[in-house]
Amino acid sequence: MMLVGLQSQANITVEATIDSIQIFVGQQAHVTLKVTTAHKDKLELPPFKPNTMVLPNVELLDISTPDTSDFDGNRVIQQVYTFTSFDANLYYLPPFPVKVNGKEYKSESLALKVLTIDVDTTKLDQFFPPKDVMNNPFSWEYFWQDWRGVIIASVIAIIVAILFVYLYKRYKSNRPILKRSRIITRIPAHQKALKALEVLKNEAVQTGDDAEDSKLYYTRLTDTLRKYIEERFGFNAMEMTSTEIISRLKQENDEEKIRELRELFQTADLVKFAKHSTLFNENDMNLVSAMDFINSTKTNEIETKEVVRPEFSVDEKKTNNQRMLIRLLLYVAATAFVALLAYVVYNLYDLLA
């Protein structure tokens, strides 16, 4: 090894040595920097960085970790720098600067000669071109090692796709059981009855005076009264005779109204069953009597609207819950399939690139 650079002051020494002052193109030269200082001194090594060009065509490849030792009561720090060059020439490496307690010290510059390799052009047959790339023999072990992730992910993706199709068919065939809330308008019995009598009154003006028209008229009139009585007083007036209705109403109302109602039912029975012909304006009088009876017995009930919520049976609830579960599984399967497909595509690109 040759000593090529040294700078010292008191007990501070900076020296640089190179293992070979000449190398062939592409070879490496190692420069060892040795700094001797007192233990208490603060040292800053050269600010060189690896993989940088310290000179045109001279590259600093690597810098070793500083090695510290003691010698004769002083501290000795050594660090190795590796250089190379691919251009034949004589180079002068610059001094290696260090700082001790803030003061700069430098080693001497170094010489490095880079030589080319002589080629005997008269014997070209001794040189051969580079060989072609050789294909490795096929091996199931290496194939499985490289493609294992792609194969497993592809199989799982196919299984998930089949599961998705099965769940989708189940989802389509398992139709939901839908029941909507309904708004029911509750009309008081007297309002429905008075409205029906008003319609009967308007239609009676257009009908004739023959027996069939009278029979139809009184049938509708008494049916309206029976329905009103049934809803208002709570007994089955539609299945009772006129006499039974009057007897029951005597317990609910005054005698004067019952008398008028009795006459109305008697007239109606005669018209329907005995083909009785009513007198002039007798139909209107009976209609007015029916309205008076309704108005005198009506309650203070008003028209109301009620929301009826749907009620599901146990089987219907089970069907709807199964449908919700299938829908959730469809989302999970779709997400898993997309993730697996992305994984397979990415790894295929990485393997084939």
Side-chain angles (χ1 to χ4, degrees):
M1 183 177 292
M2 182 177 294
L3 178 63
V4 223
L6 172 65
Q7 179 173 335
S8 66
Q9 178 175 344
N11 58 347
I12 300 175
T13 303
V14 179
E15 56 183 306
T17 57
I18 188 168
D19 60 351
S20 178
I21 61 173
Q22 65 180 22
I23 61 174
F24 287 106
V25 171
Q27 287 186 331
Q28 297 176 357
H30 300 89
V31 176
T32 302
L33 177 65
K34 181 178 179 181
V35 182
T36 303
T37 66
H39 286 282
K40 64 180 180 179
D41 292 338
K42 181 180 179 181
L43 174 64
E44 297 180 27
L45 293 172
F48 294 153
K49 294 182 180 181
N51 299 317
T52 58
M53 304 296 289
V54 294
L55 291 173
N57 300 320
V58 177
E59 181 180 1
L60 174 59
L61 296 178
D62 185 47
I63 301 176
S64 69
T65 304
D67 180 26
T68 304
S69 62
D70 291 331
F71 178 76
D72 197 16
N74 293 322
R75 179 180 60 173
V76 179
I77 298 94
Q78 294 189 47
Q79 193 169 36
V80 178
Y81 299 81
T82 303
F83 295 90
T84 189
S85 177
F86 292 90
D87 188 18
N89 206 340
L90 177 62
Y91 300 98
Y92 290 93
L93 301 180
F96 287 74
V98 299
K99 287 186 179 181
V100 180
N101 298 327
K103 184 177 180 181
E104 186 175 77
Y105 297 85
K106 294 182 179 180
S107 68
E108 295 293 335
S109 60
L110 302 174
L112 177 63
K113 187 174 184 180
V114 180
L115 305 175
T116 59
I117 300 175
D118 294 332
V119 178
D120 188 357
T121 58
T122 62
K123 300 179 179 180
L124 294 178
D125 56 341
Q126 296 181 358
F127 299 94
F128 301 94
K131 295 183 178 180
D132 294 334
V133 178
M134 296 180 62
N135 292 325
N136 291 327
F138 178 80
S139 171
W140 283 107
E141 179 181 356
Y142 291 116
F143 175 79
W144 174 250
Q145 182 177 355
D146 293 339
W147 291 81
R148 177 176 54 190
V150 173
I151 295 173
I152 294 176
S154 300
V155 172
I156 296 176
I158 293 173
I159 296 174
V160 171
I162 295 173
L163 178 62
F164 179 87
V165 173
Y166 170 75
L167 291 174
Y168 183 76
K169 291 183 177 180
R170 281 288 305 274
Y171 183 79
K172 283 297 185 181
S173 61
N174 188 14
R175 297 185 178 277
I177 298 175
L178 302 177
K179 290 186 178 180
R180 299 182 182 275
S181 299
R182 294 180 296 121
I183 299 178
I184 298 178
T185 303
R186 300 192 181 277
I187 302 175
H190 65 275
Q191 289 187 8
K192 290 190 288 184
L194 291 174
K195 184 176 180 181
L197 292 179
E198 189 67 28
V199 173
L200 179 61
K201 175 184 175 182
N202 294 332
E203 292 180 356
V205 175
Q206 302 175 5
T207 59
D209 296 329
D210 56 19
E212 289 300 324
D213 289 340
S214 296
K215 182 178 179 180
L216 178 60
Y217 176 85
Y218 278 98
T219 298
R220 293 175 59 183
L221 177 61
T222 53
D223 285 348
T224 300
L225 280 172
R226 287 172 185 272
K227 290 179 182 178
Y228 168 74
I229 292 171
E230 184 173 313
E231 293 184 26
R232 170 64 179 82
F233 296 101
F235 57 88
N236 191 8
M238 295 297 294
E239 302 297 330
M240 298 171 67
T241 64
S242 301
T243 303
E244 291 173 340
I245 294 173
I246 296 300
S247 298
R248 184 64 182 272
L249 286 176
K250 284 182 179 181
Q251 306 172 15
E252 308 286 347
N253 213 314
D254 61 279
E255 184 63 30
E256 179 64 25
K257 296 298 182 184
I258 297 301
R259 184 183 63 80
E260 295 178 359
L261 192 63
R262 182 189 296 113
E263 293 178 357
L264 188 154
F265 276 115
Q266 288 176 351
T267 302
D269 290 341
L270 290 173
V271 171
K272 290 190 292 182
F273 303 112
K275 297 184 180 181
H276 172 70
S277 298
T278 55
L279 300 176
F280 182 71
N281 290 335
E282 189 174 359
N283 293 347
D284 293 337
M285 291 175 59
N286 287 326
L287 183 64
V288 171
S289 296
M291 289 182 175
D292 288 341
F293 173 77
I294 294 172
N295 285 323
S296 63
T297 57
K298 68 181 181 180
T299 62
N300 294 327
E301 184 182 2
I302 60 175
E303 181 179 326
T304 59
K305 292 185 179 181
E306 180 181 351
V307 179
V308 179
R309 304 292 181 184
E311 294 184 1
F312 293 93
S313 65
V314 176
D315 292 338
E316 290 173 341
K317 289 181 179 179
K318 184 178 179 180
T319 300
N320 283 341
N321 290 338
Q322 288 178 350
R323 184 174 175 83
M324 292 178 63
L325 177 61
I326 293 175
R327 186 174 182 179
L328 176 62
L329 292 176
L330 280 173
Y331 285 129
V332 174
T335 304
F337 178 78
V338 172
L340 289 168
L341 185 62
Y343 175 83
V344 171
V345 172
Y346 174 79
N347 281 273
L348 281 176
Y349 176 80
D350 186 51
L351 288 170
L352 300 177

